[in-house]
Amino acid sequence: MASVESLANQVQTNLIHYNFWTKVKIHDINNGLKAVIGLPPSKLDSNDEEDQPEWVIPRSLVSNSSISVKEINEWFTGIAILEEKRPKRITIGIVNDDGTVVYYFIHDGIVKPRQN
Amino acid sequence: MAEERDEAVITKDEANFDVEDEVQDWKLLNKSLTSGTGIPKRGEKEFEPDGTNVQIDSLQESRNAMYEALSGVRGHHLKQKLVGVWDVENGRCIVPHAKGNYFRDVGVPVNIGNKIRGGMSLNPLETVYLVERGSMVIYLGNEVYSDFLQSNEDGIEFDYDQLVALDLEFLYSLAFNGKEYSIEKYQVYAYLKRLGYLVQQFKPIGDKDQRTKLAERKTGTSLVNTIFGYVDHILKKNRLFEVLKSKLHNWGILAAPLFHGLHFATKHYFNFTDVFKSLSLIQSYSTYDSIKEDPQPSENYDLTFNVWRPTPTFSKKNPPLPDFQVSVVNTDVARFPNLETIQALHNRLNFQFKGEEGKTVIPRVKVVNKKKSSMPPSKKELRYQRQKERQSKLDEAIQKRNQYNKVRDNKLKYGSDGRTVVIATVNNGVLNFINITEGDFKLQKNMDLDDIYPGNDHGIIYIEST
Amino acid sequence: MIEATGGSIDIEESFKAVEIDSTSIQSNQQVILDTTEIPKILLPLISRNGQPEVLIFNVEDIKRLRDKYGILGILIGTLAQYPQQNFFLSVPLKLFIWEVIWLVESGYAQLIDQVNYRLDKAKELQSKGKLQNNNVIVMTKKDPNSKSASQLESREANFIVTPNTDSHKYSKDYRTICADDYEVSLKDYLKSYIESTSLSQNQVRSYYQNFKYLKKQGFFINPGLKFGGDLVLYPGDPLRFHSYSIVKFNMVDLQDFVVGGRLATSVKKNIVIIGDVDESEEDGSTEEVNDEFIQSLAKEPKKMSFSIEWSGFG
Amino acid sequence: MAKRNNKQQLNKIYANALPVTLSSEKYGIALPNLFPHNPISWLFYLVRLVQVNTLYSVPQSTVELVNVKYEDSIFKVTDEESIAKLWRSGFFGKGTLSRSEPTWKERTINRLNLEENEANVVSMEEVTSKRRDERKKFKTERSKLQDLELKERKGDISADEAIQLENLRNVVPNLRSANFKPGFGNDNKDTVIRLEDLELIESNILIKNLEFLQLQAIEVFFLKFALNVVQVSNLTMKQLFYECCLLVENSPSPNVTNKFILDYVVYHHYRSLGWCVRSGVKFGCDQLLYKRGPPFTHAEYCILIIPNDGKEKYDWFEMAAKARVIGTVKKSFVLVYVDFPTQAKFDLLWNSEEYEDEGQRFHDILHSYKVTEVLYRRWAPSKTRD
């Protein structure tokens, strides 16, 4: 199965060289979990602040594809420890075995959808 | 741009909008339903409450329009008075004088005593539907009424004001008190009836099931036919020829067998179609295979309705094969069926095999709008016409190939021989309809395609470049 | 939902997932609920031998459910004025299980064994002799409401009708009889509901708590299968507002994440997933629908939730 | 990058359906036609056949195997020639930094204005990013519009704002319909070089290609087992198969319903029917079927693979969501149920020492699986009445 490091590296490269993010770094959060943080080239949401860094949690779609609310909450608490503040939103980077990474926002609580 | 639709970008296109997904705005009730299309316009709704009076008033208006419509009158003209009597004991409705169009597909004829000749007995679904749309009024039967039916006195009209007239609420609680008829079945029934479909409870039509018919179909050919068929087969399909050819092909070199590591290094290939043939390995289901195995459906699945498109010639006594066969399922009760259940449902359908004697199968080809002749042809029709003209000018071989590709695409997309069951799911009162069809991408033993290009491996989709 | 302060409403702020504390949450109900004066709504329970169904035929009740309690239900009957379409339907209004539990558990309504009540009442009526069905009326071509009473009287009845419900039933008499003799307990309702479906008792509790959690936040709620979810949420009455979110109770697979997120985004919504704050809270020991189980439904939901949408990049 | 609208050009580039060299292609030879009723043609055929086999060596016997590196649970092809071969002959793999065909290098040269920058070439990825910019602009303007509309309704709008509102009412609908069309080139695009880019360039030349072709496990095994055109690190066919199983599930020997095996069975089935099969992850299904391949046509079918184990694996909600996503992109939804052998039978074949050739082992194993296709389509009763 793909290691946590390998997944984090894939997401990091994808963010820098496919999505043109900058200052992308990998952090250890709790339980051997890794999170990637970086700056997107422009605001991801009109309500975001300029140069607002974004946390991305890498996950593999192929191995260990199950997910729970409890687990998501752990990501939030893990990042809260690093940031000293629970983030309003994180992003999950889902890595497929063909190298595709798809990114989804996970907002804390019930928020209204972006008006697209 | 071919890749556009396959990329990760998610577009929010209106194509994904379905009017029935949305809660309708009742303010538009009269406006939209009296308009020519009969389809409501997409209401102008807002994203979120903003606290303005404009918005609050507008909401109140919509609500009032709704409540008003719900309080509307349900009934019919006294001149066409249609009366039913609910038989509590049997959970059915007796219609003593059944007349009118409604009974084309509704009810079973009954005669009771001297009084009822040519009456109808309706099941709860049929009863509620007729009353709910205002086409029938219904009374609660009692001993007085039974006595009247059994009496021999002639010429007395029954005074229905001796009986309790049922309001809709009372009727529902009586009609759906048993196990057999559920609200969800009624919802599906009424939904289809409102659209004009003819709907009856599912029952086998004809006296033979698919299994028997399939067996007869296989053994039905005479010896002469078999021989001719065989000769024809050889000549047409060149199967023997193909075998010889491949043998010849192998002789020169003693190629390694298929899937041997050395196979492709030891055998000459001259086209990709042959390469694909050599890769054939995975067994696959071919249409009707499951009929022999007789799979059983899970207890939550059964066929519920036979459904026909409206036809003026419909005969209740001797109905044609249904256009759709529906299984109703409650999403709180059953999950998506397993393969065995799907196959069991397919095997229980009223179904006619291709070439089977008797009623002719209506080809399921989409007919381009049959509009009245006075209407100018639509864009779609014009396009279709032009396409047809263009086609007819092409080389015959190309026409044939195009025809073949079209038939094949249809068989891939809609099933190679069309055994389809409709599953109507009811999720807390919300309906969804799904076609579940037997597929066969290998297109094995396909007569229609054999008619065009005999002997082809129809499932190989690759077109050799020449 | 939500106070009429105007401008944008910061739901993110008000409903922090982990810190849900029922007492601190303002009721966002559009109308403040007051149960002291109003008699309970009687919920006709139909089909007690199969899956129990609560169907409302009384338009006054439908009004109250919607305007006061934000309960939508689903209309399933044919609209007699336009009987050949499925866009606008009419009574009965079918309530789904979470709405029923919520109404009963909150004390706004009670369940009535409809068929027995109505049969007994009919018997009584018939025993009294002459019936008054009053089902023949005067119908004019145009709007009947606009005619004055005298004009109507002068015309002969020409139309035979079936009303939605029994107009006498809201007499005081009726209410007492129903409440006393025909009430069905929530326990019995849930017992037969669980027996007739594949839902387990734990699922019923957990899903109901999800519903309650959402209801508390002032959302209007409908079933969600059309969008692949358990529920859909509206920020206000769906007659005026587009839905916000598709709610999934059981999100277990990343595939669902991709599918759900993609679907929601394409229809301008997001996906909301809900879970228990503390999983050990789930006292899944009881297998039976007993009083203890019914009491557990009334507990404050301890839930956390997340909203998922496509990021717009990648 | 090839000009995409030139069909002939495309046909030429993608002439091979699989990375197998045909004798007809290599030597320009063909076998003569055979006519059943003409024995002469038989003879002619036979003679020619012997001739071909004695005069020409089979092309695949001389072709070098493509090297696939297996690292970090990823199957990588880095050699440019191999990448081109696998992509162009059947569309195997995906560029890790591209949507399909690896084009990162060209895009980067283009973006950073490095050497050999071909102007006026716009890649799919650039079209997308441009369109998203437009979209963003639309959204900003629309949100302004909405704020002003709210003000207007509340009646506290200033004269200036009223003018602005009128203006926006005209502008916003146009913005929505504005569609970026490719071909304008990089007109107003400034070259921004990030710190991250500096590592890649040296005196205006791209020195690192970060992109490789990533193969899915099912693709690798097909290329190895079915076509024998790759060598994967130092793995034997059996080791490779086992590694692929491990990617999904840890077990001492493969489970008969391991998702890799089921996926492979289905993959092989469609590949052998000439379909181009690619990952369906973006649409929540397992595989996509293309008649020819991504540059030619849309994928037409979305495949969901389900073990035929009697279980009701999916609830209606999951199915409805998948079907709707698939419907949105106008594809057809196919459920593929896979019958599998007993674990005992599988183990017997897996452990057997009778096979002198591994291909034969996997032939026998895979032949004991069977697929059944079921088509799932929404029915709209209002549209099928007449």
Side-chain angles (χ1 to χ4, degrees):
Chain A
M1 294 204 199
S3 65
V4 185
E5 284 78 15
S6 158
L7 280 176
N9 290 334
Q10 282 184 70
V11 169
Q12 185 182 32
T13 311
N14 185 281
L15 286 173
I16 300 173
H17 295 290
Y18 185 71
N19 290 298
F20 306 121
W21 286 30
T22 50
K23 300 178 182 158
V24 183
K25 291 191 185 63
I26 299 173
H27 283 268
D28 286 306
I29 56 174
N30 46 357
N31 301 333
L33 198 70
K34 287 189 186 291
V36 181
I37 186 169
L39 275 179
S42 58
K43 292 201 278 184
L44 295 175
D45 184 292
S46 52
N47 297 324
D48 290 356
E49 284 160 34
E50 286 297 340
D51 290 336
Q52 180 181 313
E54 183 79 8
W55 285 97
V56 182
I57 305 287
R59 277 296 296 262
S60 161
L61 184 71
V62 180
S63 46
N64 184 22
S65 73
S66 72
I67 190 160
S68 70
V69 169
K70 195 176 152 218
E71 199 179 346
I72 294 172
N73 191 44
E74 278 165 13
W75 302 342
F76 275 88
T77 46
I79 290 167
I81 294 166
L82 288 175
E83 290 246 295
E84 295 175 343
K85 183 173 132 244
R86 191 175 165 99
K88 279 190 175 176
R89 172 186 81 208
I90 56 174
T91 297
I92 180 171
I94 304 171
V95 184
N96 186 37
D97 68 344
D98 71 349
T100 311
V101 189
V102 286
Y103 298 92
Y104 286 87
F105 285 154
I106 303 178
H107 301 270
D108 199 10
I110 301 175
V111 305
K112 56 191 177 191
R114 275 181 302 171
Q115 231 180 328
N116 284 296
Chain B
M1 204 143 302
E3 277 169 277
E4 283 287 274
R5 219 184 269 167
D6 299 330
E7 55 167 302
V9 175
I10 300 168
T11 49
K12 288 127 215 146
D13 58 341
E14 301 292 299
N16 203 26
F17 167 73
D18 180 343
V19 255
E20 284 188 55
D21 289 343
E22 292 271 340
V23 176
Q24 301 302 328
D25 185 346
W26 289 77
K27 267 191 300 197
L28 305 174
L29 172 66
N30 294 303
K31 223 182 281 170
S32 52
L33 292 184
T34 46
S35 77
T37 59
I39 296 165
K41 263 197 256 158
R42 187 173 199 176
E44 281 170 15
K45 292 194 185 174
E46 281 152 293
F47 186 62
E48 61 193 346
D50 60 12
T52 59
N53 284 335
V54 182
Q55 222 183 38
I56 292 169
D57 292 348
S58 170
L59 169 61
Q60 202 50 53
E61 229 179 284
S62 297
R63 282 181 171 174
N64 291 344
M66 171 180 169
Y67 302 141
E68 197 185 308
L70 299 189
S71 315
V73 170
R74 170 190 303 108
H76 56 280
H77 215 275
L78 267 180
K79 283 182 199 152
Q80 285 111 41
K81 186 172 171 185
L82 182 64
V83 168
V85 179
W86 186 257
D87 172 355
V88 178
E89 209 168 299
N90 297 304
R92 291 183 75 86
C93 165
I94 307 291
V95 183
H97 306 287
K99 48 188 189 292
N101 241 342
Y102 303 122
F103 299 98
R104 260 196 312 173
D105 58 331
V106 163
V108 185
V110 283
N111 297 319
I112 302 172
N114 286 335
K115 290 291 183 314
I116 296 183
R117 287 279 168 272
M120 288 285 174
S121 165
L122 312 189
N123 69 36
L125 309 182
E126 297 168 330
T127 311
V128 175
Y129 174 70
L130 284 185
V131 173
E132 189 175 80
R133 76 195 301 284
S135 309
M136 183 168 84
V137 289
I138 185 162
Y139 296 88
L140 183 63
N142 60 11
E143 299 91 58
V144 181
Y145 188 66
S146 329
D147 291 349
F148 163 76
L149 290 181
Q150 298 305 329
S151 77
N152 286 318
E153 289 168 73
D154 280 341
I156 300 172
E157 273 289 303
F158 188 78
D159 173 15
Y160 287 103
D161 272 332
Q162 297 175 57
L163 303 179
V164 174
L166 298 178
D167 54 79
L168 198 63
E169 184 186 67
F170 198 172
L171 174 60
Y172 262 80
S173 49
L174 289 168
F176 300 111
N177 199 34
K179 261 203 158 83
E180 197 184 343
Y181 297 94
S182 60
I183 296 287
E184 67 228 19
K185 280 183 190 165
Y186 175 68
Q187 277 193 267
V188 173
Y189 176 83
Y191 184 97
L192 295 172
K193 287 290 287 178
R194 284 192 286 262
L195 289 174
Y197 286 100
L198 301 164
V199 187
Q200 293 195 323
Q201 279 199 278
F202 177 83
K203 61 170 186 263
I205 289 171
D207 47 6
K208 289 174 192 160
D209 64 7
Q210 287 185 34
R211 213 171 174 188
T212 321
K213 289 202 280 193
L214 186 71
E216 284 174 5
R217 186 170 174 246
K218 290 246 159 94
T219 55
T221 41
S222 71
L223 185 66
V224 180
N225 276 345
T226 318
I227 293 168
F228 270 112
Y230 191 61
V231 172
D232 189 52
H233 186 79
I234 293 173
L235 288 178
K236 242 181 166 177
K237 290 192 141 192
N238 297 341
R239 180 58 53 88
L240 183 65
F241 216 63
E242 286 292 327
V243 174
L244 269 173
K245 208 164 112 184
S246 83
K247 282 269 182 271
L248 282 173
H249 205 140
N250 287 346
W251 282 341
I253 46 154
L254 292 176
L258 294 173
F259 295 103
H260 190 286
L262 290 173
H263 176 76
F264 283 106
T266 52
K267 184 171 167 181
H268 283 285
Y269 278 93
F270 299 91
N271 60 58
F272 282 106
T273 306
D274 285 340
V275 176
F276 288 122
K277 280 183 193 169
S278 78
L279 293 176
S280 178
L281 167 65
I282 309 297
Q283 305 178 69
S284 74
Y285 176 90
S286 167
T287 320
Y288 312 140
D289 277 357
S290 68
I291 297 178
K292 286 157 259 164
E293 293 153 18
D294 197 23
Q296 296 299 311
S298 92
E299 54 169 3
N300 296 320
Y301 283 91
D302 207 349
L303 291 161
T304 319
F305 297 118
N306 282 332
V307 180
W308 296 265
R309 295 191 183 93
T311 50
T313 56
F314 184 79
S315 152
K316 198 155 63 174
K317 217 170 167 184
N318 193 10
L321 279 183
D323 296 309
F324 307 96
Q325 293 168 77
V326 180
S327 170
V328 178
V329 63
N330 180 336
T331 54
D332 270 355
V333 175
R335 293 166 68 83
F336 187 81
N338 62 22
L339 181 61
E340 195 177 357
T341 298
I342 291 172
Q343 291 181 333
L345 291 174
H346 282 155
N347 289 347
R348 283 158 178 72
L349 293 172
N350 289 301
F351 184 77
Q352 196 166 22
F353 294 102
K354 189 178 152 66
E356 194 186 316
E357 278 182 41
K359 299 154 193 163
T360 45
V361 186
I362 307 151
R364 301 177 57 83
V365 178
K366 271 199 179 165
V367 185
V368 178
N369 285 351
K370 293 178 287 183
K371 279 209 180 132
K372 284 169 206 150
S373 53
S374 61
M375 298 281 274
S378 69
K379 265 188 196 166
K380 206 172 163 190
E381 281 174 300
L382 283 173
R383 208 178 326 133
Y384 180 74
Q385 271 303 325
R386 272 202 300 272
Q387 217 176 347
K388 235 173 123 182
E389 275 164 33
R390 227 177 302 136
Q391 277 288 321
S392 64
K393 281 179 201 148
L394 291 173
D395 188 67
E396 221 168 280
I398 297 174
Q399 280 189 46
K400 191 172 164 183
R401 194 194 62 203
N402 289 350
Q403 171 67 9
Y404 177 82
N405 288 341
K406 210 165 126 191
V407 173
R408 182 170 63 179
D409 279 350
N410 270 321
K411 291 194 175 292
L412 292 173
K413 202 167 166 189
Y414 301 109
S416 84
D417 275 290
R419 287 205 298 174
T420 295
V421 61
V422 173
I423 299 191
T425 60
V426 185
N427 166 233
N428 291 312
V430 183
L431 307 186
N432 260 313
F433 295 92
I434 294 136
N435 279 311
I436 299 285
T437 304
E438 202 171 24
D440 178 8
F441 272 63
K442 218 170 182 176
L443 294 166
Q444 301 160 84
K445 301 174 275 191
N446 199 291
M447 289 157 90
D448 292 333
L449 291 170
D450 268 346
D451 283 349
I452 306 174
Y453 288 147
N456 257 24
D457 264 301
H458 304 301
I460 295 182
I461 201 78
Y462 181 74
I463 298 169
E464 208 68 54
S465 59
T466 42
Chain C
M1 68 174 273
I2 300 177
E3 308 105 292
T5 49
S8 70
I9 294 135
D10 198 353
I11 311 183
E12 292 159 63
E13 279 306 300
S14 357
F15 310 116
K16 265 287 155 57
V18 272
E19 303 151 1
I20 283 294
D21 174 355
S22 62
T23 51
S24 72
I25 292 183
Q26 290 256 315
S27 165
N28 286 303
Q29 221 53 63
Q30 246 175 357
V31 180
I32 302 299
L33 308 175
D34 177 10
T35 54
T36 51
E37 293 299 319
I38 326 160
K40 285 183 179 181
I41 293 181
L42 302 178
L43 304 177
L45 188 59
I46 286 175
S47 179
R48 296 203 57 204
N49 294 314
Q51 185 183 321
E53 300 271 0
V54 173
L55 303 179
I56 314 287
F57 294 80
N58 186 314
V59 178
E60 287 308 311
D61 287 347
I62 291 174
K63 231 186 230 183
R64 192 167 140 201
L65 287 172
R66 192 174 197 110
D67 297 357
K68 269 202 148 18
Y69 306 135
I71 290 289
L72 301 170
I74 298 283
L75 291 168
I76 66 169
T78 308
L79 186 64
Q81 301 96 298
Y82 298 99
Q84 295 189 318
Q85 48 83 40
N86 287 304
F87 302 112
F88 294 95
L89 297 181
S90 184
V91 294
L93 183 86
K94 179 187 150 76
L95 299 186
F96 68 145
I97 174 172
W98 321 124
E99 293 174 322
V100 174
I101 304 177
W102 186 79
L103 285 167
V104 176
E105 191 249 296
S106 312
Y108 305 137
Q110 71 185 83
L111 291 157
I112 298 297
D113 175 356
Q114 195 65 18
V115 72
N116 285 319
Y117 162 65
R118 293 302 302 269
L119 279 171
D120 288 355
K121 189 173 180 198
K123 242 181 244 163
E124 202 187 310
L125 271 174
Q126 277 180 307
S127 69
K128 280 180 185 158
K130 184 74 183 152
L131 286 166
Q132 285 192 316
N133 278 323
N134 294 335
N135 61 350
V136 184
I137 63 157
V138 178
M139 183 75 163
T140 51
K141 279 224 168 93
K142 287 268 161 66
D143 183 8
N145 301 328
S146 66
K147 297 283 174 189
S148 71
S150 62
Q151 266 178 302
L152 285 173
E153 265 166 39
S154 65
R155 303 191 51 166
E156 212 172 299
N158 61 351
F159 219 67
I160 186 156
V161 299
T162 302
N164 287 340
T165 180
D166 178 355
S167 51
H168 312 300
K169 68 189 263 187
Y170 284 86
S171 66
K172 220 175 180 182
D173 201 29
Y174 167 92
R175 290 207 55 86
T176 335
I177 297 170
C178 285
D180 287 354
D181 297 343
Y182 299 96
E183 178 168 8
V184 179
S185 70
L186 191 56
K187 187 166 80 177
D188 285 347
Y189 165 76
L190 287 178
K191 225 181 230 172
S192 32
Y193 198 94
I194 288 170
E195 264 167 31
S196 61
T197 64
S198 64
L199 288 175
S200 74
Q201 188 242 110
N202 279 342
Q203 277 170 320
V204 168
R205 176 175 32 219
S206 164
Y207 295 173
Y208 170 64
Q209 295 269 345
N210 289 345
F211 177 87
K212 192 168 163 181
Y213 167 78
L214 296 166
K215 196 84 188 68
K216 263 189 135 58
Q217 299 182 34
F219 292 107
F220 283 69
I221 302 168
N222 258 347
L225 179 62
K226 278 217 177 217
F227 297 104
D230 291 278
L231 305 171
V232 281
L233 298 184
Y234 299 86
D237 190 321
L239 291 177
R240 284 313 304 163
F241 301 100
H242 289 298
S243 82
Y244 259 15
S245 308
I246 302 163
V247 180
K248 287 254 355 170
F249 291 164
N250 283 325
M251 177 74 84
V252 287
D253 202 89
L254 277 178
Q255 281 268 8
D256 294 346
F257 226 87
V258 175
V259 177
R262 192 178 173 104
L263 167 60
T265 305
S266 78
V267 291
K268 305 175 184 179
K269 308 186 200 313
N270 59 21
I271 290 272
V272 168
I273 53 173
I274 306 180
D276 293 297
V277 170
D278 184 359
E279 275 167 13
S280 62
E281 275 282 303
E282 269 291 312
D283 44 351
S285 50
T286 51
E287 278 304 313
E288 208 188 312
V289 179
N290 52 22
D291 294 335
E292 203 183 318
F293 171 69
I294 298 297
Q295 278 156 24
S296 74
L297 294 174
K299 275 196 218 156
E300 275 314 316
K302 285 185 188 155
K303 299 282 181 177
M304 56 186 167
S305 55
F306 298 99
S307 311
I308 298 155
E309 63 189 347
W310 182 52
S311 65
F313 67 92
Chain D
M1 195 186 211
K3 284 209 179 99
R4 292 202 175 256
N5 49 8
N6 191 332
K7 184 103 192 208
Q8 265 184 326
Q9 192 96 3
L10 282 181
N11 279 331
K12 212 171 150 193
I13 295 173
Y14 303 104
N16 288 344
L18 292 171
V20 170
T21 312
L22 301 178
S23 304
S24 47
E25 181 198 349
K26 180 154 185 188
Y27 306 115
I29 53 168
L31 288 176
N33 280 331
L34 268 175
F35 301 101
H37 45 269
N38 181 357
I40 311 269
S41 77
W42 291 50
L43 194 68
F44 190 46
Y45 183 90
L46 192 67
V47 170
R48 182 67 182 149
L49 186 66
V50 174
Q51 219 178 13
V52 165
N53 279 301
T54 42
L55 295 180
Y56 303 97
S57 61
V58 176
Q60 281 303 105
S61 64
T62 57
V63 170
E64 261 184 64
L65 297 178
V66 166
N67 262 317
V68 179
K69 267 177 276 174
Y70 183 56
E71 285 172 357
D72 286 339
S73 304
I74 300 171
F75 296 100
K76 304 177 180 176
V77 181
T78 46
D79 165 61
E80 279 187 38
E81 205 177 308
S82 303
I83 290 176
K85 180 176 173 182
L86 294 182
W87 175 257
R88 292 179 179 182
S89 321
F91 308 100
F92 291 90
K94 181 189 152 300
T96 46
L97 294 171
S98 303
R99 192 174 298 142
S100 47
E101 185 184 9
T103 56
W104 179 83
K105 190 178 156 194
E106 287 151 286
R107 275 171 16 237
T108 308
I109 290 170
N110 214 348
R111 178 172 62 89
L112 301 176
N113 230 339
L114 304 179
E115 95 289 32
E116 48 183 348
N117 176 12
E118 266 184 77
N120 291 329
V121 176
V122 187
S123 72
M124 288 306 302
E125 286 79 0
E126 282 160 344
V127 174
T128 306
S129 109
K130 178 88 187 211
R131 211 185 37 221
R132 284 184 192 166
D133 288 346
E134 305 263 330
R135 201 69 201 146
K136 233 169 235 167
K137 191 172 161 205
F138 161 68
K139 280 193 238 172
T140 330
E141 294 300 305
R142 185 186 55 184
S143 122
K144 273 190 219 157
L145 171 68
Q146 285 168 336
D147 287 348
L148 289 175
E149 278 183 333
L150 183 63
K151 276 192 171 175
E152 190 194 33
R153 266 199 260 168
K154 289 185 175 163
D156 56 0
I157 191 165
S158 71
D160 273 1
E161 283 171 333
I163 294 166
Q164 208 189 341
L165 174 65
E166 217 31 61
N167 197 7
L168 281 168
R169 277 185 176 141
N170 291 326
V171 171
V172 171
N174 292 334
L175 279 177
R176 181 196 277 279
S177 56
N179 233 336
F180 172 70
K181 299 212 171 52
F184 300 121
N186 309 332
D187 36 359
N188 51 6
K189 217 171 177 187
D190 296 329
T191 305
V192 181
I193 299 182
R194 307 168 300 160
L195 274 175
E196 285 82 353
D197 297 321
L198 288 177
E199 297 171 28
L200 308 172
I201 44 183
E202 215 166 76
S203 58
N204 216 28
I205 286 171
L206 188 70
I207 49 158
K208 263 191 206 164
N209 187 356
L210 293 175
E211 185 168 47
F212 53 87
L213 188 79
Q214 181 164 349
L215 294 168
Q216 288 182 274
I218 48 179
E219 293 177 312
V220 173
F221 193 71
F222 182 79
L223 293 168
K224 174 85 183 168
F225 158 70
L227 302 178
N228 197 22
V229 292
V230 292
Q231 175 58 45
V232 188
S233 294
N234 291 319
L235 301 173
T236 65
M237 192 184 293
K238 197 176 173 187
Q239 285 167 336
L240 173 62
F241 189 89
Y242 183 53
E243 284 295 332
C244 292
C245 290
L246 283 181
L247 283 173
V248 187
E249 179 186 37
N250 251 322
S251 63
S253 75
N255 224 313
V256 70
T257 54
N258 183 295
K259 180 123 178 44
F260 163 73
I261 308 182
L262 302 186
D263 284 356
Y264 183 75
V265 164
V266 175
Y267 183 83
H268 189 109
H269 171 64
Y270 289 116
R271 274 287 183 184
S272 73
L273 290 173
W275 292 92
C276 166
V277 189
R278 300 184 53 78
S279 167
V281 60
K282 289 169 201 160
F283 307 111
C285 63
D286 294 300
Q287 296 171 5
L288 296 179
L289 302 187
Y290 293 76
K291 273 228 182 82
R292 209 161 155 199
F296 291 91
T297 48
H298 301 295
E300 289 172 57
Y301 296 95
C302 289
I303 306 295
L304 181 69
I305 298 168
I306 308 172
N308 185 21
D309 52 10
K311 289 188 193 128
E312 292 177 349
K313 186 177 176 196
Y314 292 101
D315 67 30
W316 285 102
F317 301 95
E318 293 163 307
M319 291 306 274
K322 286 180 200 295
R324 228 184 134 131
V325 165
I326 291 166
T328 311
V329 288
K330 302 187 172 63
K331 304 187 193 308
S332 300
F333 191 13
V334 184
L335 316 179
V336 181
Y337 290 88
V338 183
D339 289 1
F340 46 88
T342 62
Q343 187 69 46
K345 183 180 175 194
F346 182 94
D347 291 344
L348 198 70
L349 296 171
W350 178 254
N351 296 319
S352 167
E353 283 164 22
E354 304 284 297
Y355 294 104
E356 48 145 298
D357 180 83
E358 283 298 319
Q360 297 297 308
R361 177 197 309 280
F362 288 102
H363 169 276
D364 291 356
I365 288 178
L366 295 166
H367 191 64
S368 58
Y369 286 77
K370 179 181 172 184
V371 298
T372 302
E373 288 137 341
V374 170
L375 313 173
Y376 178 119
R377 251 174 318 130
R378 216 174 146 189
W379 181 40
S382 59
K383 289 176 190 151
T384 57
R385 216 200 61 163
D386 303 307

